[in-house]
Amino acid sequence: MQDEERMMDNDAQSSLATGEAGDIALQGRALHFGYGKREIFRDVSLHVRKREIVCLLGGSGCGKSTLLRVLAGLAQPREGAVTFLGKPLDTPHPRAALVFQQASLLPWLDVTGNVGFGLDFARQPAIDKTTRETRITKAIEAVGLRGNERAYPAQLSGGMAQRVALARALAREPELLFADEPFSALDAITRAGMQSLLVELVHRWHTAVLLVTHDIDEAILVADRILLMGKDEGPNAPGRIVREWTLDIARPRDAHSSDVVELRMQILAALRELQITTD
Ligand SMILES: Nc1ncnc2c1ncn2[C@@H]1O[C@H](COP(=O)(O)OP(=O)(O)O)[C@@H](O)[C@H]1O
Ligand SMILES: [Mg+2]
């Protein structure tokens, strides 16, 4: 068992060496994080290539959100380093955008205002008024909200609000989108639509994605690569990346195709073997 885990660790690490530097959007090396004496994760290394969709899959409490915050420059690792587009990262990068489970829209701004809001940060590259308007219109249209430009957050369904959050992120034309369980609060039908939309949009925008999820099917339908995060038994065991799968499954993916069913079984087997649970 221990040897197998070590092999898996090696598998997870080996892909570090296979990526070529110019092709890499985000890289984390030997990351370690904790709160006080509590270790949250240790020795985590991963990368996301440009235009690649990587899903970080794991049960609740294993440290996914904390890892995402460290990789996004929102928290500092105790050890290790994060590089974004080849440069060390210690604060959020203007070429990266974030989407969370809650859309976090500003209630006093309409859809156009909320989508434009992400373009107004001081660290954001300056753009002229026409470019700004074009980007907002294009993003609103792309997420299917044309005609709702003047609507306020209180008038939107959960799915629509999350579309606005996605448009706000895309309008910034990010190199990489960090997404932390962005569809977990949505009903199953809306969620399936949003998963396909996300893939379609990031392909169109040439954006890389690091998507955190506890949903195996979401990871399989969306990812180019899945990193399975887990932790050993015991309340204080740190999280780590235990397995990695590269998905060579044509899109659009069918949840019932033999490739998808096979991969789902492999992931479930790994979870059982490593005694990881997802909810
Ligand atoms: N501010 C904090 N202080 C202490 N522990 C924390 C804090 N934030 C999160 N944790 C703990 O870190 C662990 C990992 O949390 P998190 O990264 O949110 O996991 P996940 O996203 O995988 O569910 C959890 O056990 C959580 O209780
Ligand atoms: Mg989380």
Side-chain angles (χ1 to χ4, degrees), residues 92-104:
H93 196 283
R95 300 298 313 280
L98 290 118
V99 184
F100 296 100
Q101 186 172 335
Q102 300 302 329
S104 316

Side-chain angles (χ1 to χ4, degrees), residues 1-29:
M1 177 75 172
Q2 276 197 345
D3 279 344
E4 254 176 68
E5 286 187 18
R6 215 167 295 136
M7 262 169 53
M8 288 166 185
D9 277 346
N10 286 341
D11 279 348
Q13 303 285 350
S14 67
S15 61
L16 264 178
T18 58
E20 288 172 30
D23 180 37
I24 302 285
L26 174 75
Q27 181 139 41
R29 285 196 180 87

Side-chain angles (χ1 to χ4, degrees), residues 3-111:
D3 279 344
E4 254 176 68
E5 286 187 18
R6 215 167 295 136
M7 262 169 53
M8 288 166 185
D9 277 346
N10 286 341
D11 279 348
Q13 303 285 350
S14 67
S15 61
L16 264 178
T18 58
E20 288 172 30
D23 180 37
I24 302 285
L26 174 75
Q27 181 139 41
R29 285 196 180 87
L31 296 170
H32 180 194
F33 187 90
Y35 292 106
K37 285 188 176 158
R38 171 94 197 274
E39 282 192 291
I40 304 298
F41 54 79
R42 70 152 61 236
D43 207 17
V44 169
S45 294
L46 62 88
H47 68 270
V48 179
R49 293 187 185 87
K50 288 179 180 169
R51 305 187 182 191
E52 186 184 28
I53 305 177
V54 174
C55 283
L56 187 62
L57 173 69
S60 91
C62 75
K64 303 180 299 297
S65 294
T66 311
L67 177 57
L68 179 132
R69 289 174 54 77
V70 166
L71 291 166
L74 291 164
Q76 299 308 310
R78 277 189 181 163
E79 287 169 32
V82 177
T83 50
F84 186 78
L85 300 175
K87 301 217 171 76
L89 180 88
D90 52 14
T91 52
H93 196 283
R95 300 298 313 280
L98 290 118
V99 184
F100 296 100
Q101 186 172 335
Q102 300 302 329
S104 316
L105 305 181
L106 298 172
W108 60 87
L109 293 178
D110 62 12
V111 167

Side-chain angles (χ1 to χ4, degrees), residues 53 141-144 163 166 170 193-207 209 221-222 251:
I53 305 177
E141 222 170 272
V143 298
R163 284 169 192 259
L166 197 52
L170 290 172
M194 290 298 286
Q195 289 161 350
S196 322
L197 179 69
L198 175 77
V199 173
E200 183 199 321
L201 293 183
V202 298
H203 284 164
R204 195 165 358 138
W205 257 261
H206 306 307
T207 307
V209 181
L221 290 178
V222 167
R251 298 175 202 273

